[in-house]
Amino acid sequence: MNRLAGAASPYLLQHRANPVDWWEWGEGAFAEAKRSKRPVLLSIGYAACHWCHVMAHESFEDPATAAVMNELFVNIKVDREERPDIDHVYMSALHSLGEQGGWPLTMFLTPEGDAFWGGTYFPPEPRHGRPSLQGVLRQIAAIYRQEPERILHNATAIRKALAQMEGVALAEAGEPDLAHLASQIAGAFDPIDGGLKGAPKFPNAGLIELLWRQGTREPAAAGSRDAATLTLQRMARGGIHDHLGGGFARYAVDARWLVPHFEKMLYDNAQLLPLYALEAKRSGDVLALEAAEGIVAWLEREMLLPEGAFAASLDADSEGEEGKYYVWNRSDVDALLGAEAGALIARHYDIAPGGNWEGVSILNRLDTPDPDSADALRLSKLKDALFAERTKRIPPARDDKILADWNGLMIAALARASGLLDRPAWLELSERAYRFVAELMADGEGVAHSYRLGRRITPGFALDHAAMIDAALALHDATLSQNYLDDARRWSAHLWQHYRDPQTGLLSMTPADSRSLPVIPRPTHDDAVPNALGVHAGNLLRLAGKTGSADHRERADAFLAAALRAAARAPMAHGSVLNAYDLARNGVEIVLAGTERSALHAAARRLPYTTTIITDVPDPHSLPADHPVAAMLRLAGDGAAFICFEGRCLPPVTDPNQLADALADRR
């Protein structure tokens, strides 16, 4: 066992038996590089990454390759999910070299931590125009020894490029035209299969939400809504959706959503759950409802940990093959179900004799007929039989570390979907996960980033705090419990104090006083997860609405203005910021007052959360005197809901059945 035997990360533990003399990221590794005058080889990946496993098996498990690595380099292995800051900085360094990023990420650093060259996957032998890893290692080490001025030149240039990239160029721009942007984004979506045109296809949940918001509010923007709903439908029909076990894979490698990269990530499903719940509530679409229910079924069955929080991911591979756990042969289906039943499920789920991918079949409904009610009932039972058979296979490995940001996204999703679809059990699931993160991952006034087996990665990142604030606000909407609002206020103050860059008004990924990396990472764009910038812009708007505090309103306005300036240069990369702006422009407060307000509260939770802020007023004196509803509380009687927007409130609603109509009529 190497040094990784003592790591907490499941990804690092996958490498503990490598003959490579791995180090974890830390001062010790760089001190050894300085002492031995060797460069650093930094390898970054994650547990569910297929090509990370390939490179590990081909090279890191190979004694000859390991011997070269150990002789010429100090070797550091990093889990990108555990340390997204390290991953961001060195992926940006690779991009500055004009290279396309990906994982595994392979970077070469000076003993001071400055990158001077890098790449991604390197094969054991030269292949498809890619040099072998051993060849790269020997060449880099020779240049490091013989041409130090070349190394210094590269490192200096990359450091300068990183400083410029993290400098955040803020555009001088007015408020965005959401209708125009939604129309542009809808035009970039595939009119046949949804999602951004081409392959591979990622869910891009922030853009789908932006289109859904605009399209469901404005009749003239029906094209935006259609682009969003088509994408949700095609994903739910595609092979990216697990039709037996529920949940969605990370992305599809093709342009039709048929062939997934089979890893399942908590964050993807956390972002898709509320979108499917919104669409199921809006349209009554059975496919959307089944997708939402399937995500939660998968979450409870495969991702729920004994602590009550949720694991990070499921691997793409099992038994050394990508997707083996999920695919089917037609002959096996017929043998299990019988020829007639096998033919029925094959017709509806595209289980072809020759397969639809590499000789096997990925279940999907992209081009298959919808069953009638009788066949639908029978198919449900047949799917159960297939699922039971699948559980006998060796499952993909699970990365069971608990990440505060990904859990926060899922907690908020469960809380909101539970109200939309009247699923109280989902709310209980979210509250249990919240308690674990808030209590066991507390780090002073903030939260830790990662937890596993009693070990925590601290301090947390900006998104850890932003996502958990959002979770607290969603749970306050759901329960009206004051402790959630108190947590949101405390974490927001911590985020504002320690992560906000006073020069730009934006958020750094790490605390502002961090000095362990060449630069302090300050990304503003969304990635596979929403950026903390967009999430927290929405948080501040909701806090301002819930508290009526002038301080919160001023912070919300100032922060959103800075966020919009960052988003102006590349709006399609800032969906979360634009969604926060939509809340600012089109949001309404549902103010609940009086002693009998539980039915009105339930009705408010059934409204689209995208532009509603639920404010509870159990004590009339808790509102600031200048709040527009303060003077109207005498009209609340035993219980009423006030719809407030643009500094004014409509007459009280006392019948829960009329709340949705009153909200619609306000326009």
Short mmCIF file of all heavy atoms in Angstrom, two decimals, residues 132-190:
data_model
loop_
_atom_site.label_atom_id
_atom_site.label_comp_id
_atom_site.label_asym_id
_atom_site.label_seq_id
_atom_site.Cartn_x
_atom_site.Cartn_y
_atom_site.Cartn_z
N SER A 132 2.93 7.90 -25.88
CA SER A 132 2.81 7.02 -24.72
C SER A 132 3.13 7.78 -23.44
O SER A 132 3.90 8.76 -23.45
CB SER A 132 3.75 5.83 -24.86
OG SER A 132 5.10 6.25 -24.70
N LEU A 133 2.58 7.31 -22.33
CA LEU A 133 2.85 7.97 -21.06
C LEU A 133 4.32 7.90 -20.71
O LEU A 133 4.92 8.90 -20.30
CB LEU A 133 2.00 7.34 -19.95
CG LEU A 133 2.22 7.96 -18.56
CD1 LEU A 133 1.88 9.44 -18.55
CD2 LEU A 133 1.40 7.23 -17.50
N GLN A 134 4.93 6.73 -20.85
CA GLN A 134 6.35 6.63 -20.50
C GLN A 134 7.20 7.57 -21.36
O GLN A 134 8.15 8.20 -20.86
CB GLN A 134 6.84 5.19 -20.66
CG GLN A 134 6.40 4.27 -19.54
CD GLN A 134 7.27 3.02 -19.46
OE1 GLN A 134 8.49 3.08 -19.62
NE2 GLN A 134 6.63 1.89 -19.19
N GLY A 135 6.87 7.68 -22.64
CA GLY A 135 7.61 8.59 -23.50
C GLY A 135 7.47 10.03 -23.05
O GLY A 135 8.45 10.80 -23.03
N VAL A 136 6.25 10.42 -22.68
CA VAL A 136 6.01 11.77 -22.18
C VAL A 136 6.79 12.02 -20.89
O VAL A 136 7.43 13.07 -20.71
CB VAL A 136 4.51 12.00 -21.96
CG1 VAL A 136 4.25 13.27 -21.16
CG2 VAL A 136 3.77 12.06 -23.29
N LEU A 137 6.76 11.04 -19.99
CA LEU A 137 7.44 11.20 -18.71
C LEU A 137 8.94 11.43 -18.90
O LEU A 137 9.53 12.33 -18.28
CB LEU A 137 7.22 9.96 -17.84
CG LEU A 137 5.79 9.66 -17.39
CD1 LEU A 137 5.72 8.32 -16.67
CD2 LEU A 137 5.26 10.77 -16.50
N ARG A 138 9.57 10.63 -19.75
CA ARG A 138 11.02 10.75 -19.94
C ARG A 138 11.37 12.08 -20.63
O ARG A 138 12.35 12.74 -20.28
CB ARG A 138 11.53 9.57 -20.76
CG ARG A 138 11.39 8.23 -20.03
CD ARG A 138 12.01 7.09 -20.82
NE ARG A 138 11.71 5.81 -20.24
CZ ARG A 138 12.32 5.26 -19.20
NH1 ARG A 138 13.29 5.94 -18.60
NH2 ARG A 138 11.98 4.07 -18.75
N GLN A 139 10.55 12.49 -21.58
CA GLN A 139 10.83 13.73 -22.29
C GLN A 139 10.66 14.94 -21.37
O GLN A 139 11.50 15.85 -21.36
CB GLN A 139 9.91 13.86 -23.50
CG GLN A 139 10.22 15.07 -24.38
CD GLN A 139 9.34 15.13 -25.61
OE1 GLN A 139 8.37 14.40 -25.73
NE2 GLN A 139 9.69 16.01 -26.54
N ILE A 140 9.58 14.96 -20.58
CA ILE A 140 9.35 16.08 -19.66
C ILE A 140 10.46 16.15 -18.63
O ILE A 140 10.98 17.24 -18.31
CB ILE A 140 7.98 15.93 -18.97
CG1 ILE A 140 6.84 16.13 -19.97
CG2 ILE A 140 7.84 16.90 -17.81
CD1 ILE A 140 6.73 17.54 -20.51
N ALA A 141 10.84 15.01 -18.07
CA ALA A 141 11.90 15.01 -17.06
C ALA A 141 13.22 15.49 -17.65
O ALA A 141 13.99 16.23 -16.99
CB ALA A 141 12.06 13.60 -16.49
N ALA A 142 13.53 15.11 -18.90
CA ALA A 142 14.77 15.55 -19.54
C ALA A 142 14.77 17.06 -19.76
O ALA A 142 15.77 17.74 -19.50
CB ALA A 142 14.96 14.81 -20.87
N ILE A 143 13.64 17.59 -20.24
CA ILE A 143 13.55 19.04 -20.44
C ILE A 143 13.67 19.77 -19.11
O ILE A 143 14.33 20.82 -19.02
CB ILE A 143 12.22 19.39 -21.15
CG1 ILE A 143 12.20 18.83 -22.57
CG2 ILE A 143 12.00 20.91 -21.17
CD1 ILE A 143 10.85 18.97 -23.26
N TYR A 144 13.06 19.22 -18.06
CA TYR A 144 13.12 19.86 -16.74
C TYR A 144 14.57 19.96 -16.26
O TYR A 144 14.97 20.99 -15.69
CB TYR A 144 12.29 19.06 -15.74
CG TYR A 144 12.18 19.72 -14.39
CD1 TYR A 144 11.24 20.72 -14.15
CD2 TYR A 144 13.02 19.35 -13.34
CE1 TYR A 144 11.14 21.33 -12.92
CE2 TYR A 144 12.94 19.96 -12.10
CZ TYR A 144 12.00 20.95 -11.90
OH TYR A 144 11.91 21.56 -10.67
N ARG A 145 15.37 18.91 -16.52
CA ARG A 145 16.78 18.92 -16.08
C ARG A 145 17.66 19.79 -16.98
O ARG A 145 18.51 20.53 -16.50
CB ARG A 145 17.34 17.50 -16.08
CG ARG A 145 16.76 16.57 -15.02
CD ARG A 145 17.61 15.30 -14.90
NE ARG A 145 17.79 14.65 -16.20
CZ ARG A 145 16.97 13.73 -16.70
NH1 ARG A 145 15.90 13.37 -15.99
NH2 ARG A 145 17.20 13.18 -17.87
N GLN A 146 17.43 19.70 -18.28
CA GLN A 146 18.37 20.26 -19.24
C GLN A 146 18.01 21.68 -19.70
O GLN A 146 18.88 22.42 -20.17
CB GLN A 146 18.48 19.34 -20.46
CG GLN A 146 18.99 17.95 -20.11
CD GLN A 146 18.76 16.94 -21.23
OE1 GLN A 146 18.44 17.31 -22.36
NE2 GLN A 146 18.90 15.66 -20.92
N GLU A 147 16.73 22.04 -19.62
CA GLU A 147 16.29 23.35 -20.13
C GLU A 147 15.45 24.08 -19.08
O GLU A 147 14.27 24.35 -19.29
CB GLU A 147 15.50 23.17 -21.41
CG GLU A 147 16.24 22.45 -22.53
CD GLU A 147 15.40 22.33 -23.79
OE1 GLU A 147 14.96 23.38 -24.31
OE2 GLU A 147 15.16 21.19 -24.23
N PRO A 148 16.05 24.41 -17.95
CA PRO A 148 15.27 25.06 -16.88
C PRO A 148 14.66 26.40 -17.32
O PRO A 148 13.59 26.77 -16.85
CB PRO A 148 16.29 25.26 -15.76
CG PRO A 148 17.62 25.18 -16.42
CD PRO A 148 17.46 24.22 -17.55
N GLU A 149 15.34 27.09 -18.23
CA GLU A 149 14.79 28.37 -18.69
C GLU A 149 13.50 28.16 -19.48
O GLU A 149 12.58 28.99 -19.43
CB GLU A 149 15.82 29.12 -19.54
CG GLU A 149 16.12 28.53 -20.91
CD GLU A 149 16.97 27.25 -20.88
OE1 GLU A 149 17.52 26.93 -19.80
OE2 GLU A 149 17.07 26.60 -21.92
N ARG A 150 13.38 27.04 -20.18
CA ARG A 150 12.16 26.73 -20.92
C ARG A 150 11.01 26.43 -19.96
O ARG A 150 9.87 26.86 -20.17
CB ARG A 150 12.41 25.54 -21.84
CG ARG A 150 11.25 25.17 -22.75
CD ARG A 150 11.68 24.06 -23.69
NE ARG A 150 10.55 23.53 -24.45
CZ ARG A 150 10.63 22.48 -25.26
NH1 ARG A 150 11.81 21.87 -25.42
NH2 ARG A 150 9.57 22.05 -25.90
N ILE A 151 11.33 25.71 -18.90
CA ILE A 151 10.32 25.40 -17.88
C ILE A 151 9.85 26.69 -17.22
O ILE A 151 8.64 26.91 -17.04
CB ILE A 151 10.90 24.44 -16.83
CG1 ILE A 151 11.31 23.11 -17.47
CG2 ILE A 151 9.89 24.22 -15.69
CD1 ILE A 151 10.17 22.32 -18.07
N LEU A 152 10.80 27.56 -16.88
CA LEU A 152 10.44 28.82 -16.23
C LEU A 152 9.59 29.68 -17.15
O LEU A 152 8.62 30.31 -16.70
CB LEU A 152 11.71 29.58 -15.83
CG LEU A 152 11.50 30.95 -15.17
CD1 LEU A 152 10.72 30.82 -13.88
CD2 LEU A 152 12.85 31.64 -14.93
N HIS A 153 9.92 29.71 -18.43
CA HIS A 153 9.15 30.50 -19.39
C HIS A 153 7.71 30.00 -19.46
O HIS A 153 6.75 30.79 -19.41
CB HIS A 153 9.81 30.43 -20.77
CG HIS A 153 9.04 31.15 -21.83
ND1 HIS A 153 8.06 30.53 -22.60
CD2 HIS A 153 9.08 32.44 -22.25
CE1 HIS A 153 7.54 31.40 -23.43
NE2 HIS A 153 8.14 32.57 -23.25
N ASN A 154 7.54 28.67 -19.58
CA ASN A 154 6.19 28.11 -19.65
C ASN A 154 5.40 28.37 -18.37
O ASN A 154 4.24 28.77 -18.41
CB ASN A 154 6.26 26.60 -19.90
CG ASN A 154 6.36 26.25 -21.36
OD1 ASN A 154 6.78 27.08 -22.16
ND2 ASN A 154 5.99 25.04 -21.73
N ALA A 155 6.04 28.15 -17.22
CA ALA A 155 5.36 28.33 -15.94
C ALA A 155 4.94 29.78 -15.75
O ALA A 155 3.83 30.06 -15.27
CB ALA A 155 6.26 27.87 -14.80
N THR A 156 5.81 30.71 -16.13
CA THR A 156 5.48 32.13 -15.99
C THR A 156 4.33 32.52 -16.89
O THR A 156 3.41 33.26 -16.49
CB THR A 156 6.72 32.99 -16.30
OG1 THR A 156 7.79 32.61 -15.42
CG2 THR A 156 6.41 34.46 -16.14
N ALA A 157 4.36 32.02 -18.14
CA ALA A 157 3.30 32.34 -19.08
C ALA A 157 1.95 31.78 -18.62
O ALA A 157 0.92 32.46 -18.73
CB ALA A 157 3.65 31.79 -20.47
N ILE A 158 1.96 30.56 -18.10
CA ILE A 158 0.71 29.95 -17.64
C ILE A 158 0.19 30.68 -16.41
O ILE A 158 -1.02 30.93 -16.28
CB ILE A 158 0.91 28.45 -17.36
CG1 ILE A 158 1.15 27.71 -18.68
CG2 ILE A 158 -0.30 27.86 -16.64
CD1 ILE A 158 1.50 26.24 -18.51
N ARG A 159 1.09 31.04 -15.50
CA ARG A 159 0.65 31.77 -14.31
C ARG A 159 0.01 33.11 -14.70
O ARG A 159 -1.01 33.51 -14.14
CB ARG A 159 1.82 31.99 -13.35
CG ARG A 159 1.42 32.74 -12.08
CD ARG A 159 2.62 32.98 -11.19
NE ARG A 159 2.87 31.89 -10.28
CZ ARG A 159 2.38 31.81 -9.05
NH1 ARG A 159 1.58 32.77 -8.61
NH2 ARG A 159 2.67 30.81 -8.27
N LYS A 160 0.62 33.80 -15.66
CA LYS A 160 0.05 35.07 -16.12
C LYS A 160 -1.31 34.84 -16.77
O LYS A 160 -2.26 35.60 -16.53
CB LYS A 160 1.00 35.74 -17.12
CG LYS A 160 0.48 37.08 -17.64
CD LYS A 160 1.40 37.68 -18.69
CE LYS A 160 2.68 38.16 -18.08
NZ LYS A 160 3.51 38.91 -19.08
N ALA A 161 -1.43 33.76 -17.57
CA ALA A 161 -2.71 33.46 -18.21
C ALA A 161 -3.78 33.14 -17.17
O ALA A 161 -4.93 33.57 -17.29
CB ALA A 161 -2.55 32.29 -19.18
N LEU A 162 -3.38 32.40 -16.12
CA LEU A 162 -4.34 32.08 -15.06
C LEU A 162 -4.81 33.33 -14.34
O LEU A 162 -6.00 33.48 -14.03
CB LEU A 162 -3.71 31.10 -14.05
CG LEU A 162 -3.52 29.66 -14.51
CD1 LEU A 162 -2.78 28.86 -13.44
CD2 LEU A 162 -4.87 29.01 -14.79
N ALA A 163 -3.89 34.23 -14.06
CA ALA A 163 -4.27 35.47 -13.38
C ALA A 163 -5.26 36.27 -14.22
O ALA A 163 -6.22 36.86 -13.70
CB ALA A 163 -3.02 36.30 -13.09
N GLN A 164 -5.04 36.28 -15.54
CA GLN A 164 -5.97 36.99 -16.43
C GLN A 164 -7.32 36.29 -16.47
O GLN A 164 -8.38 36.94 -16.45
CB GLN A 164 -5.37 37.08 -17.83
CG GLN A 164 -4.16 37.99 -17.92
CD GLN A 164 -3.52 37.98 -19.30
OE1 GLN A 164 -3.77 37.09 -20.11
NE2 GLN A 164 -2.68 38.96 -19.57
N MET A 165 -7.31 34.96 -16.52
CA MET A 165 -8.55 34.20 -16.59
C MET A 165 -9.38 34.37 -15.33
O MET A 165 -10.61 34.41 -15.37
CB MET A 165 -8.25 32.71 -16.83
CG MET A 165 -7.65 32.42 -18.20
SD MET A 165 -6.97 30.75 -18.33
CE MET A 165 -8.47 29.79 -18.39
N GLU A 166 -8.72 34.44 -14.17
CA GLU A 166 -9.44 34.57 -12.91
C GLU A 166 -9.73 36.02 -12.57
O GLU A 166 -10.32 36.32 -11.54
CB GLU A 166 -8.66 33.91 -11.77
CG GLU A 166 -8.41 32.42 -11.95
CD GLU A 166 -9.68 31.62 -12.10
OE1 GLU A 166 -10.74 32.05 -11.61
OE2 GLU A 166 -9.63 30.53 -12.72
N GLY A 167 -9.30 36.94 -13.44
CA GLY A 167 -9.51 38.35 -13.17
C GLY A 167 -10.94 38.80 -13.38
O GLY A 167 -11.32 39.88 -12.95
N VAL A 168 -11.77 38.00 -14.04
CA VAL A 168 -13.19 38.27 -14.27
C VAL A 168 -13.40 39.63 -14.92
O VAL A 168 -13.50 40.66 -14.25
CB VAL A 168 -14.03 38.18 -12.98
CG1 VAL A 168 -15.52 38.27 -13.34
CG2 VAL A 168 -13.77 36.88 -12.26
N ALA A 169 -13.46 39.62 -16.25
CA ALA A 169 -13.75 40.85 -16.98
C ALA A 169 -15.24 41.15 -16.89
O ALA A 169 -16.07 40.38 -17.39
CB ALA A 169 -13.32 40.69 -18.44
N LEU A 170 -15.58 42.22 -16.23
CA LEU A 170 -16.99 42.59 -16.05
C LEU A 170 -17.42 43.54 -17.16
O LEU A 170 -16.77 44.57 -17.41
CB LEU A 170 -17.20 43.26 -14.69
CG LEU A 170 -16.88 42.39 -13.47
CD1 LEU A 170 -17.12 43.18 -12.19
CD2 LEU A 170 -17.70 41.13 -13.47
N ALA A 171 -18.47 43.19 -17.84
CA ALA A 171 -18.96 44.00 -18.95
C ALA A 171 -19.86 45.11 -18.42
O ALA A 171 -20.59 44.93 -17.45
CB ALA A 171 -19.75 43.13 -19.93
N GLU A 172 -19.78 46.25 -19.08
CA GLU A 172 -20.72 47.33 -18.79
C GLU A 172 -21.96 47.09 -19.64
O GLU A 172 -21.94 47.29 -20.86
CB GLU A 172 -20.09 48.68 -19.11
CG GLU A 172 -18.96 49.07 -18.18
CD GLU A 172 -19.43 49.29 -16.74
OE1 GLU A 172 -20.64 49.50 -16.54
OE2 GLU A 172 -18.59 49.24 -15.83
N ALA A 173 -22.99 46.59 -19.03
CA ALA A 173 -24.18 46.22 -19.80
C ALA A 173 -25.43 46.51 -19.00
O ALA A 173 -25.42 46.53 -17.77
CB ALA A 173 -24.13 44.73 -20.16
N GLY A 174 -26.49 46.75 -19.72
CA GLY A 174 -27.77 46.96 -19.06
C GLY A 174 -28.40 45.64 -18.67
O GLY A 174 -27.79 44.57 -18.78
N GLU A 175 -29.62 45.71 -18.20
CA GLU A 175 -30.31 44.48 -17.79
C GLU A 175 -30.61 43.63 -19.02
O GLU A 175 -30.96 44.14 -20.08
CB GLU A 175 -31.60 44.84 -17.05
CG GLU A 175 -31.35 45.55 -15.74
CD GLU A 175 -32.63 45.75 -14.95
OE1 GLU A 175 -33.72 45.54 -15.52
OE2 GLU A 175 -32.54 46.11 -13.76
N PRO A 176 -30.46 42.31 -18.89
CA PRO A 176 -30.65 41.44 -20.04
C PRO A 176 -32.11 41.36 -20.47
O PRO A 176 -33.02 41.50 -19.66
CB PRO A 176 -30.15 40.08 -19.55
CG PRO A 176 -30.29 40.13 -18.06
CD PRO A 176 -30.05 41.56 -17.69
N ASP A 177 -32.30 41.14 -21.76
CA ASP A 177 -33.63 40.92 -22.32
C ASP A 177 -33.88 39.41 -22.30
O ASP A 177 -33.41 38.68 -23.17
CB ASP A 177 -33.69 41.46 -23.74
CG ASP A 177 -35.07 41.33 -24.38
OD1 ASP A 177 -35.86 40.48 -23.93
OD2 ASP A 177 -35.34 42.06 -25.35
N LEU A 178 -34.60 38.95 -21.29
CA LEU A 178 -34.78 37.52 -21.11
C LEU A 178 -35.52 36.87 -22.27
O LEU A 178 -35.21 35.75 -22.68
CB LEU A 178 -35.54 37.24 -19.79
CG LEU A 178 -34.75 37.49 -18.51
CD1 LEU A 178 -35.65 37.26 -17.29
CD2 LEU A 178 -33.53 36.57 -18.43
N ALA A 179 -36.51 37.58 -22.81
CA ALA A 179 -37.26 37.02 -23.93
C ALA A 179 -36.35 36.80 -25.14
O ALA A 179 -36.42 35.76 -25.81
CB ALA A 179 -38.43 37.93 -24.29
N HIS A 180 -35.49 37.78 -25.40
CA HIS A 180 -34.58 37.67 -26.53
C HIS A 180 -33.57 36.55 -26.30
O HIS A 180 -33.29 35.75 -27.21
CB HIS A 180 -33.86 38.99 -26.75
CG HIS A 180 -32.85 38.96 -27.85
ND1 HIS A 180 -33.19 38.81 -29.17
CD2 HIS A 180 -31.48 39.04 -27.82
CE1 HIS A 180 -32.10 38.80 -29.91
NE2 HIS A 180 -31.05 38.94 -29.12
N LEU A 181 -33.01 36.48 -25.09
CA LEU A 181 -32.04 35.44 -24.78
C LEU A 181 -32.67 34.05 -24.87
O LEU A 181 -32.07 33.12 -25.41
CB LEU A 181 -31.46 35.66 -23.38
CG LEU A 181 -30.45 36.79 -23.24
CD1 LEU A 181 -30.11 37.01 -21.78
CD2 LEU A 181 -29.19 36.48 -24.04
N ALA A 182 -33.88 33.92 -24.35
CA ALA A 182 -34.56 32.62 -24.41
C ALA A 182 -34.79 32.21 -25.86
O ALA A 182 -34.64 31.04 -26.22
CB ALA A 182 -35.88 32.67 -23.64
N SER A 183 -35.14 33.17 -26.70
CA SER A 183 -35.35 32.88 -28.11
C SER A 183 -34.06 32.43 -28.77
O SER A 183 -34.04 31.47 -29.57
CB SER A 183 -35.90 34.12 -28.83
OG SER A 183 -36.08 33.86 -30.20
N GLN A 184 -32.94 33.08 -28.44
CA GLN A 184 -31.65 32.69 -28.98
C GLN A 184 -31.27 31.28 -28.53
O GLN A 184 -30.80 30.46 -29.33
CB GLN A 184 -30.57 33.67 -28.53
CG GLN A 184 -30.56 34.99 -29.27
CD GLN A 184 -29.34 35.82 -28.89
OE1 GLN A 184 -28.98 35.91 -27.71
NE2 GLN A 184 -28.70 36.42 -29.87
N ILE A 185 -31.44 31.00 -27.24
CA ILE A 185 -31.08 29.69 -26.71
C ILE A 185 -31.96 28.61 -27.32
O ILE A 185 -31.48 27.54 -27.70
CB ILE A 185 -31.18 29.69 -25.17
CG1 ILE A 185 -30.13 30.65 -24.58
CG2 ILE A 185 -30.98 28.29 -24.61
CD1 ILE A 185 -30.33 30.95 -23.11
N ALA A 186 -33.26 28.89 -27.43
CA ALA A 186 -34.16 27.92 -28.05
C ALA A 186 -33.73 27.62 -29.48
O ALA A 186 -33.82 26.48 -29.95
CB ALA A 186 -35.60 28.44 -28.02
N GLY A 187 -33.23 28.64 -30.19
CA GLY A 187 -32.75 28.44 -31.55
C GLY A 187 -31.51 27.58 -31.62
O GLY A 187 -31.24 26.97 -32.66
N ALA A 188 -30.74 27.53 -30.53
CA ALA A 188 -29.54 26.70 -30.49
C ALA A 188 -29.86 25.26 -30.09
O ALA A 188 -28.98 24.40 -30.15
CB ALA A 188 -28.53 27.29 -29.51
N PHE A 189 -31.11 25.00 -29.69
CA PHE A 189 -31.51 23.65 -29.28
C PHE A 189 -31.90 22.82 -30.50
O PHE A 189 -32.42 23.35 -31.49
CB PHE A 189 -32.66 23.71 -28.28
CG PHE A 189 -32.21 23.78 -26.84
CD1 PHE A 189 -31.21 24.64 -26.45
CD2 PHE A 189 -32.81 22.98 -25.87
CE1 PHE A 189 -30.79 24.72 -25.13
CE2 PHE A 189 -32.41 23.04 -24.55
CZ PHE A 189 -31.40 23.91 -24.17
N ASP A 190 -31.65 21.54 -30.40
CA ASP A 190 -31.99 20.58 -31.46
C ASP A 190 -33.51 20.50 -31.59
O ASP A 190 -34.19 20.15 -30.62
CB ASP A 190 -31.40 19.22 -31.07
CG ASP A 190 -31.55 18.17 -32.15
OD1 ASP A 190 -32.53 18.22 -32.91
OD2 ASP A 190 -30.68 17.28 -32.20
#
